[in-house]
Amino acid sequence: MAISVTIGTERDVEYLASLWMLLVEHHRRLVGDRWPVRPAEQAWDLRQAQYRRWLSDRTGLLFVARDGDLASPVGYAFCLLSGPGPTFDFGETRAEVDSLVVADTARGAGIGTLLLDACRAELRRRGIRYWSIGVIDANERAVALYERLGFRPYVRSLMGTTD
């Protein structure tokens, strides 16, 4: 595999559908029947609109991993940029990795690390010092990757129903 990672544009969003839907189904396997997961196609309709809006208003950064010159990516990362918060002094802009997806056939080849390294390099280039990433608690492989790359627990998010 000759993987290259580039900064994506709105034109790249159309190539992300199958990867996003794999992620949705991965989430479904991780949470079982504990939490409701949308049908993958419906989730993509909502997500691609968000990606396009975030890229258009420059609050999002897309990183696309491809194997050679193939049009379809083998993975991608989408990072959101936000302004300062009132409590913690993370600077004028902080980032959150909103999505990180690697094709099932390419997992374990270091593509997630390449995508996050590219994201980190671009954030540093922009003077952004802090970034975060969320992960489903049951996704132990992802947690191990993120901790290996320097992420540490910051906020614990709990979910419940109002029933």
Side-chain angles (χ1 to χ4, degrees):
M1 252 186 217
I3 302 299
S4 64
V5 176
T6 58
I7 294 179
T9 67
E10 284 185 68
R11 289 185 305 274
D12 292 304
V13 171
E14 68 183 274
Y15 297 108
L16 306 180
S18 62
L19 287 170
W20 171 260
M21 288 189 259
L22 285 173
L23 179 64
V24 170
E25 295 308 324
H26 178 64
H27 288 165
R28 189 181 318 284
R29 287 188 302 276
L30 286 170
V31 302
D33 60 0
R34 286 175 289 172
W35 304 112
V37 177
R38 293 183 190 280
E41 296 82 8
Q42 180 187 34
W44 174 244
D45 288 342
L46 296 168
R47 180 42 52 118
Q48 65 88 21
Q50 289 177 317
Y51 285 164
R52 291 179 193 284
R53 184 175 67 251
W54 294 332
L55 289 168
S56 175
D57 69 16
R58 299 179 189 264
T59 58
L61 292 169
L62 172 62
F63 299 86
V64 181
R66 288 188 170 85
D67 185 2
D69 293 330
L70 299 176
S72 295
V74 294
Y76 75 91
F78 201 100
C79 195
L80 290 173
L81 306 177
S82 61
T87 303
F88 298 98
D89 186 9
F90 293 135
E92 285 304 306
T93 305
R94 76 172 199 83
E96 177 181 359
V97 180
D98 181 78
S99 307
L100 177 66
V101 188
V102 175
D104 290 341
T105 57
R107 285 203 180 138
I111 294 169
T113 300
L114 287 172
L115 285 162
L116 290 173
D117 285 348
C119 184
R120 182 193 316 248
E122 179 62 18
L123 295 175
R124 282 181 178 161
R125 189 188 74 72
R126 292 171 178 238
I128 298 170
R129 294 189 54 222
Y130 292 93
W131 63 333
S132 61
I133 192 166
V135 61
I136 293 174
D137 201 38
N139 196 347
E140 295 172 3
R141 287 185 67 197
V143 170
L145 168 63
Y146 304 153
E147 288 179 344
R148 197 167 51 249
L149 294 176
F151 289 97
R152 297 294 175 258
Y154 162 60
V155 172
R156 185 171 183 181
S157 181
L158 303 174
M159 182 66 67
T161 67
T162 57
D163 296 338

